[in-house]
Amino acid sequence: MSGRAEKGTNMTTSEIVMERALALAAEDTEREAAVAALLESADGRRVSVVLARQHLLDDQSETAARAVELLDEVIVRLPEV
């Protein structure tokens, strides 16, 4: 978790998903395991995943690019609202 969560500040689901995606990408977690973890973190909230993805598009790092790819797969697997 981030420092914000540790200080008692609530994080939005999109922030949680974004941080989790970055962590999984940085750890080079196997794709299927990473997507499963992100689906769990998203708790069915498609909009939160889309917002996390949009925020990561501003980051030009390789880790962010991998995180976006993971989130793309999560979006495909989530039911449309």
Side-chain angles (χ1 to χ4, degrees):
M1 284 285 198
S2 76
R4 283 179 33 169
E6 293 168 7
K7 294 178 184 174
T9 302
N10 292 330
M11 291 177 64
T12 65
T13 303
S14 64
E15 291 170 326
I16 292 167
V17 169
M18 183 180 63
E19 286 192 3
R20 187 73 177 127
L22 283 169
L24 291 164
E27 295 166 0
D28 203 27
T29 304
E30 188 270 324
R31 185 178 182 87
E32 192 59 36
V35 170
L38 290 168
L39 283 166
E40 184 176 323
S41 294
D43 193 29
R45 294 180 174 102
R46 183 182 188 86
V47 171
S48 295
V49 177
V50 171
L51 290 173
R53 182 187 180 282
Q54 287 176 332
H55 185 76
L56 287 171
L57 290 174
D58 294 335
D59 186 335
Q60 300 298 312
S61 71
E62 287 183 33
T63 300
R66 181 156 191 267
V68 167
E69 291 175 6
L70 294 172
L71 292 175
D72 286 341
E73 183 64 28
V74 171
I75 290 168
V76 167
R77 295 188 191 189
L78 282 171
E80 291 189 30
V81 183

